[in-house]
Amino acid sequence: MPKFLIQATYTAEGTQGLLEEGASGRRAAVEQVVSGLGGTVEAMYFAFGEYDIVLIVDLPDASAMAAAGLAVKASGALHTRATPLLTLDEADEAARRQVRFRAPGAQGPAGA
């Protein structure tokens, strides 16, 4: 099952809800969304800095991730960023694949 890194920043309204509900309440809400889409939450952390919360989730496919992202963003409570994660085996497979690409302005294909 594909893994996704989710980074989110709470809006003022979302932060107010977090203060009222607490972090454990947010964990339950996240698990409900993810499990409803056929996935699982691997890790969930609150953080300092650019993002307030960081998650790693397993979801059946990119469409499930998109559905979750749309629902969350439509709430107006968070701004999110989702990044697909590759296993080491998947990265090795990508590195083995031949890709013919010509950079803008280059004369011939590179990486042949």
Side-chain angles (χ1 to χ4, degrees):
M1 191 174 299
K3 289 187 184 297
F4 297 89
L5 168 68
I6 302 170
Q7 298 162 290
T9 303
Y10 282 100
T11 63
E13 296 82 12
T15 301
Q16 186 60 44
L18 173 63
L19 290 171
E20 294 171 7
E21 188 175 330
S24 58
R26 296 317 311 150
R27 171 75 186 215
V30 168
E31 287 181 343
Q32 181 179 4
V33 168
V34 173
S35 66
L37 291 166
T40 57
V41 177
E42 181 177 310
M44 181 174 175
Y45 295 96
F46 283 84
F48 298 116
E50 183 177 354
Y51 298 103
D52 299 318
I53 189 166
V54 178
L55 303 97
I56 296 177
V57 299
D58 297 302
L59 286 167
D61 51 40
S63 294
M65 181 66 252
L70 289 170
V72 169
K73 289 178 182 186
S75 77
L78 294 113
H79 299 287
T80 63
R81 175 184 199 156
T83 305
L85 300 175
L86 300 174
T87 65
L88 298 178
D89 289 340
E90 289 169 329
D92 285 343
E93 173 61 27
R96 285 190 293 270
R97 291 191 180 188
Q98 294 288 320
V99 177
R100 295 186 61 81
F101 171 74
R102 184 185 60 78
Q107 292 300 313

